[in-house]
Amino acid sequence: MTPSLPPPTDDERHHSDRLAALLTSHIASEGGAIPFWRFMELCLYAPGLGYYSAGARKFGAEGDFVTAPELGALFAECVAEAMAPALQALGPQARWLELGGGSGRFVVDALRHLQALDALPQRYAILEPSADLRERQQQRVREELPHALASRVEWIDRPMDGDWNGVMFANEVIDALPTPRFLIDGGRVLEEYVAHDAEHGFHVIERPADALMEAAVRHVERDLERTLPDGYRSELLPQLPYWLQAVVGGLRRGAVLLVDYGHPRREYYASHRDDGTLRAFRRQHVVSDVLAWPGLQDITASVDFTALAEAGTGAGFELAGYCSQASFLLGNGLDRRLQAAEAQAADETACLRLRQQAKTLTLPEAMGERFGVIGFAHEVDLNAAFLVGDLTWRL
C-alpha cells in the first residue's frame, strides 16, 4: 500500500470484509479459483457491495480519481462541438446514448451547450449499471437543468431497443470492463485466476487459457509480428467486439466517440510493459495490489486502441479518427470555449481556475497525452472532429 494512503476506516473494513466473503464463496463454489476478470467484475459491480455499486464518493477531488468532466464544462462543451454536426445531420429524432454517466456532470454541461448549438437530441439516454450513481445523476439533472432539458434525459437498463439513429459516447468506461489477464509460459498461453486461502488471502494462480483467449493472444502476436516472451503478463479483452456490438445495438446511422487512457497495440504490448497495465485507484493514489481491499478501490486497465479500432470497423462502422485528448479538444474549439468562459468569469480567480482546467485537460504530463479519443461513424461525417493531430497511422 502507498505509505501516504490512510488505512480504511472501520466502516470501510466492514464493507470490504462483506465483499471478500462473497468472493470467497464464489471461489469455493467454482472449485477453488475464479478467472481474474470475474474477480474484477465482482469487486466493481457486485450489487450493493462492488466499488461502483456502493455509496462511497468516487469522482472529484474528494473521491478516488478525477475524470475530465469533473474538472469543469470545457470537456463536455468540446465533445458537444464535435458531435453537433452529426446530430444536426440526423435530424430532430436523433438520440444520444452515454455509457456510464459518472456524477452526471457531463450530461448537464453537454446538454446546455448542445442547446446553444441548436443540436439537441430528441432523447439523451444514460446506460448506468450502478444504482447509486444513477440516483446521483438524476438528482444533479433535476437540480441543475431547466425542465425543458431535464425532461429529455432518461436512464435505461440495457442498450437501445430496436433500430435508432444518433450518437454514442463513453468516457473512461472501457478501462473498467472486467479484463482477463494472461501469461506466456513456455510458449503456452495461461490465464490468471484468483484463489483464496487463510495463509495467502486472495492470490493469483494460472490455468491453461481457453480457445478464445488463446486465439486472441495469437492474433496480437501476428499483428505485432513477434511472439511475446516467456514470463510476459498483460491484459486482453477478447470479448471487446461482442461488447461493442451489444452496446451500440441497432444504431443504423450515427457516430460513436470513445475517450479513455491507453495505447496503440505496439505500445500496449511493448517489451518493457511486461506486467501489463493493471492497477487500482483509491483516494487519489495508485495502488499496485489490485487484490487488496475488495470494494474500496477502483480496478482498471489501459485500453488497446488498436483492438478498439478492430472492434468498431468489425461492427460495420468507418474509423473516423484517433488522436490524443489534447489534439481532440484543441481541434474542437477548446480555445474558443475557454475565451467565452473567461469572458463570463466573475473574477481573476475564476479565470485562473478555467486556465488550470484547460491545462489539466491538455498538458502531456496531465490528461492531454495519456488519454486518447477514437471515433467511428456510419452514414454521417465525424472526420472533421479529428482534423488536428490524427494518429490513426499508429494503430
Side-chain angles (χ1 to χ4, degrees):
M1 180 180 294
T2 307
S4 59
L5 182 61
T9 65
D10 289 343
D11 286 345
E12 288 174 332
R13 289 175 182 272
H14 177 66
H15 178 92
S16 185
D17 288 345
R18 291 173 60 203
L19 180 53
L22 176 67
L23 289 163
T24 303
S25 174
H26 277 271
I27 288 170
S29 67
E30 294 296 326
I34 56 176
F36 175 80
W37 68 263
R38 179 60 173 155
F39 177 89
M40 180 175 173
E41 180 181 54
L42 289 168
C43 284
L44 297 182
Y45 303 110
L49 294 174
Y51 178 81
Y52 284 108
S53 303
R57 176 103 183 235
K58 301 162 184 68
F59 304 99
E62 298 177 6
D64 295 321
F65 50 86
V66 178
T67 63
E70 301 304 315
L71 296 171
L74 295 177
F75 177 82
E77 289 177 357
C78 291
V79 171
E81 293 268 348
M83 302 300 258
L87 290 169
Q88 290 165 338
L90 292 168
Q93 303 303 310
R95 304 175 76 182
W96 184 298
L97 171 61
E98 182 183 1
L99 303 183
S103 71
R105 180 71 187 264
F106 180 86
V107 58
V108 168
D109 292 333
L111 279 177
R112 284 173 176 162
H113 197 55
L114 287 169
Q115 183 179 45
L117 295 171
D118 194 24
L120 282 173
Q122 180 191 51
R123 304 294 297 168
Y124 189 114
I126 300 176
L127 180 56
E128 177 55 71
S130 167
D132 171 66
L133 288 177
R134 180 182 293 205
E135 290 179 5
R136 298 181 187 210
Q137 294 157 16
Q138 290 171 339
Q139 180 179 358
R140 171 164 261 168
V141 166
R142 287 194 306 267
E143 293 177 352
E144 299 187 17
L145 284 179
H147 177 73
L149 289 183
S151 62
R152 293 175 185 256
V153 186
E154 62 182 348
W155 283 262
I156 57 178
D157 298 314
R158 60 188 61 84
M160 298 279 201
D161 291 329
D163 294 345
W164 65 286
N165 298 327
V167 301
M168 187 185 85
F169 171 73
N171 179 62
E172 292 196 57
V173 169
I174 298 169
D175 66 82
L177 294 180
T179 180
R181 289 260 296 170
F182 70 87
L183 165 69
I184 304 298
D185 179 54
R188 301 177 303 157
V189 180
L190 305 181
E191 182 174 352
E192 284 192 3
Y193 280 66
V194 178
H196 182 274
D197 58 45
E199 180 180 356
H200 302 100
F202 294 111
H203 60 281
V204 170
I205 64 173
E206 293 87 20
R207 291 181 175 177
D210 62 19
L212 182 62
M213 174 64 87
E214 170 91 22
V217 172
R218 300 311 180 196
H219 170 74
V220 166
E221 290 181 321
R222 287 192 298 271
D223 194 38
L224 296 175
E225 298 180 326
R226 62 180 174 83
T227 57
L228 297 171
D230 278 358
Y232 196 96
R233 292 179 188 266
S234 194
E235 307 82 34
L236 196 151
L237 282 167
Q239 73 273 31
L240 185 61
Y242 311 106
W243 174 85
L244 186 61
Q245 291 179 36
V247 294
V248 299
L251 180 60
R252 291 294 172 257
R253 296 180 62 220
V256 175
L257 192 71
L258 307 170
V259 184
D260 226 310
Y261 46 85
H263 316 277
R265 178 168 290 153
R266 291 185 180 278
E267 297 173 27
Y268 196 104
Y269 297 107
S271 58
H272 70 275
R273 199 168 278 120
D274 57 0
D275 195 33
T277 68
L278 194 73
R279 66 271 202 200
F281 289 93
R282 187 162 73 87
R283 297 187 185 179
Q284 309 291 329
H285 290 75
V286 178
V287 182
S288 58
D289 186 358
V290 299
L291 305 183
W293 301 116
L296 301 187
Q297 57 188 23
D298 184 27
I299 305 174
T300 179
S302 297
V303 173
D304 175 358
F305 277 99
T306 304
L308 258 185
E310 292 172 343
T313 55
F317 294 92
E318 294 181 3
L319 177 63
Y322 163 64
C323 64
S324 70
Q325 178 173 290
S327 293
F328 179 82
L329 296 178
L330 291 169
N332 288 281
L334 179 61
D335 289 344
R336 289 185 286 105
R337 300 314 315 148
L338 178 58
Q339 291 174 4
E342 286 182 329
Q344 298 179 354
D347 50 35
E348 184 59 27
T349 300
C351 286
L352 289 173
R353 285 197 295 267
L354 286 165
R355 292 166 199 158
Q356 184 58 47
Q357 181 187 155
K359 288 180 180 179
T360 303
L361 290 170
T362 58
L363 287 178
E365 63 271 22
M367 292 183 171
E369 299 296 327
R370 293 192 300 109
F371 282 74
V373 184
I374 194 167
F376 304 94
H378 184 62
E379 296 186 11
V380 296
D381 184 7
L382 192 62
N383 298 72
F386 293 92
L387 291 179
V388 175
D390 185 48
L391 297 175
T392 52
W393 57 274
R394 290 174 58 187
L395 293 174

